[in-house]
Amino acid sequence: MDRFNLSRWGIRHPALVGFLIALLFAAGAAQFFALGRDEDPGFTLKEMIVAAAWPGATPAQMQAQVGDPIERRLRATEQLDFLQTYCVDGHCVIRVSLKDGAPSSRVPAIWQQVRNRLKDIEPDLPAGASVVADDDYADVYGYVFTLTGADNARLVTLAERAREAMLRVPGAGKARIIGEIPRRVFVDLDGRRLAAMGLSPDAVVQALANRSSIAPSGSAERSMRVPVRIGGAIDGVDTVAATAVPAATGSISVGDLGVVSNGSADPPDGLVRHGARPAVVLAIAMAPGADGLGFGRQLAQAAADFTRTLPAGVRMTQVQDQSRNIREAVDAFLIKFFCALSVVLLVAFVTLGWRTGVVVALSVPLTLAIVALFMGVSGIGLERISLGALILSLGLLVDDAIISVEAMVVQLEQGATRSDAAAYAWTHTAFPMLTGTLLTIVGFLPVGFAQSTTSEYAGGIFWVTGSALLVSWVVAVVFTPYLGVRLLPEAHARHDAAARYDTPLYRRLRSVVEGCMTHRKAVVVATALLLAASLAGALLVRQQFFPISDRPEIIVDVSLRPGASLTATAAAVKRIEAGIVADRDVAQVDSYVGEGAPRFYLPYGPALPDPATATMVLVATDLGARERVIARLTANRAAPEARLHIRRLSLGPSAGFPVQYRVTGPDPETLRRLSARIATVLRATPGTTAVQVDWGTPSVAMRLDLDGARVARLGLDRARLAGEVATMMSGRPAGELLRGTKRIGIVVRGSAAERNDPGRLADLAVSTPGGPVPLGEIARIGVTTEQPIIWKRDNMLCMTVQADMTGDVQASDIAAAAEDRIAAIARSLPAGYRIEAGGDGELSAKANDAIYRLLPITVALMLLLLMIQLQSIGRTLLVLATAPLGVIGAVAALILTGAPFGFVALLGLIALAGMIMRNSIILVDQVTHNQAGGMALHAAIAAATIGRARPVVLTALAAVLAFIPLCFNIFWGPMAIVMIGGLIGATALTLVALPALYTLAFDRPSPLTEQDNRHA
């Protein structure tokens, strides 16, 4: 072993090692300040939206003829988890969700497979049906600007100019303009005049389409190519009105058949409002890998420059600035980081003395400098996860330095030379430390390699903490001995081991240890009972997936009954806005009617397009104001016809509604009855709010029952008749007017009086070869009801009951309180029906399952490391038995603080096992060394425990104090509390229970000894 001693090598090459220390300090510091900044780490959203359209189809027809065939084709998609479909009049939206464990690197290829399948199926869809796929649904538009103060067309033009300016900023990615209402030229036909001329709406549509079409008109080939252009194309309202329509008596202009006017799409696909005023939104996404802070500054400058060019009255406001959130989050974490660093260094100085403390203190920034270099090479920036992992690492990376320098100090006091004392760190502590370090790293392994979106989000914990621990070992065996040789004080007197520990404190510790070994069975039983009590106490700890964000945004999802018009939804939103814009606790309010807000924050999932829904994004002045606004909104009755789902943003992946129950089966009415029973249970469960069922109630529809014989005699057919009715009631495209980069659609429709009064449907004139005939003479017009929206999941009708929570209530609390009553409903289900739990509980189960699947590998690696180090099955099992001891203190800490136990706390509990075994293995290894030196078992255990007590307590103290700043963080708090409580409890038990357990396991008196004892 002496032939390869890194510690001795380090002190024999002082110039090189000193140069390396200086170089690593300088390079690491430069790299740390050059690391990219972001609010959260990225993770791959494994969802794609497939949208299909078939104008005129009912929801049932859309489902049967469009939705089902697409679903059948997409069911073969690689890594598919489920398909969720909803269909409304003329539209169908399919959410393609991949398995949580789908490899992120495969997702783009899988989306290409989906596009290819959609392209293959398009020819098999009904005539007039179309389908498109959108995987940009996952893009994060963290920089959002609104423009107000002009008409929509003018605002869109300005937004386009702003987009061009901002896309020139280095680091800019995609850009979206939201809220554009397409311009239209409307031809409102007079039905009576049309009938008098013997014309059908189709004739007007065809005439306009022919005149607006673009077709090649040839060219003359001379010395130069001379193209031929045909004039007379439509270029405005006047040319549309002047377009001639062939009639039986000659021709008649479109203007003589109705009113031609400029306008906007009616109804539009969506509306955007800012501060209760019509607005257009420009959303910018940052390119992957760009520095959020630098990009935010340059984008703000570009926005300021553009604002100076705006016309009077127009205002551009930045409503989302991801760089500000990044700055606040990173600055807050850096403060916590430097507080934790100061605490660790203070512990080193106070407990080890000035010069010894300097050696440990220098090892900490040196380790962090090397870790910063690793983060730069690996592309890991400073964000919520990596900064939290760095703070977490601070409490762990001093362990090796303290153990190494403590061993040097003991050797110096016993008379060893500086060189031999430094070499001792390698020969006696390096390999137990390495095994302990690897054990701790392996404890974090599940989060680094688990195949889930959640682990992808939090995986930086493993990579940052693992690299810090590994680097800390290298520093402890190479650089710490070098620093110790130069900085440790001279030993004033030579001490033997016994004299060093002959102090009142150590004498009391010795008596406790010896008492534990004497009463080993009682101590082991008491420890086991404590562990059992803690496991039972864990049932009292509240469960949580990911905590609520500390951002001030409030998301208000507004839902009218399915089938409601965009006009009705917009009117409800205006009434709700009226009570918000004057609220002093609200800094700004933005409303997106008919579509979701852009994904301005990665864990936020935008709502899918639907005229009956709207999303309002409120920004409160602070967190206290956020809660006051939520309380007032909950009591808001400005729009009683609307259901409000008021929620805060979440840290990490989350479902839109944290509490969900899916009811699947073949019959909608049975699903409705079952869903109503579940909704009743949830409404009666304390802590629930916004309980709703996603289908809604049936809505009214007009039904035309044709007289088949009369239709045949008149020479009509169903398709032509439907086309005429659709043209007069809803409008029909009739070509386009080209203006710059815009294409302005021409729409032919009936007059407002005919469109908006269903009672006049019977008087609608339908053209026939024999002349116009009122619709009421060939069809019986009645009223019926139909389901305005149909939801399916994996090709089964699915009705979802959804709820949110109030105050500090967790989704798991609601599920637990409702469990028995939901189970009773499930037991009485008819054949072919089932109830599935969804929401945050389902997401949490998937994330935890991904972690649990790696636990066997984790345990196997830990056993392998222990066996390599200890070379004994008995001692390996002994060390492994100490792993659960952290549960005792962790559960007690959670109960005392009231903190919930969630995904991040679970990671802390798993990692805690590795940290505990790290201390245990060093103590057990020392017992083995003591026995090899001739000590009896009891003396060897007592000497090892007393000799290791100081470094074990110091490292635990440093870790506990370093974790304290994290306790006040919403995201990391539960994990820090788990690790503080677990370390305190486990450190005490390591010094008390481990000696008793060791003695119980290995103290086997020989028969001769027992006989001698009897004679004595």
Side-chain angles (χ1 to χ4, degrees), residues 495-536:
H495 303 282
D496 58 21
R500 174 180 173 82
Y501 300 112
D502 189 18
T503 64
L505 183 60
Y506 278 117
R507 285 196 294 269
R508 281 194 292 271
L509 177 60
R510 181 181 294 276
S511 65
V512 170
V513 172
E514 289 176 347
C516 289
M517 289 191 290
T518 302
H519 305 285
R520 49 189 174 271
K521 289 184 180 179
V523 172
V524 171
V525 170
T527 303
L529 290 174
L530 270 176
L531 182 60
S534 298
L535 293 174

Side-chain angles (χ1 to χ4, degrees), residues 84-109:
Q84 187 178 36
T85 306
Y86 78 83
C87 294
V88 294
D89 276 335
H91 295 279
C92 206
V93 176
I94 301 173
R95 188 197 301 265
V96 184
S97 293
L98 303 183
K99 292 178 180 176
D100 201 38
S104 301
S105 57
R106 285 290 303 154
V107 171

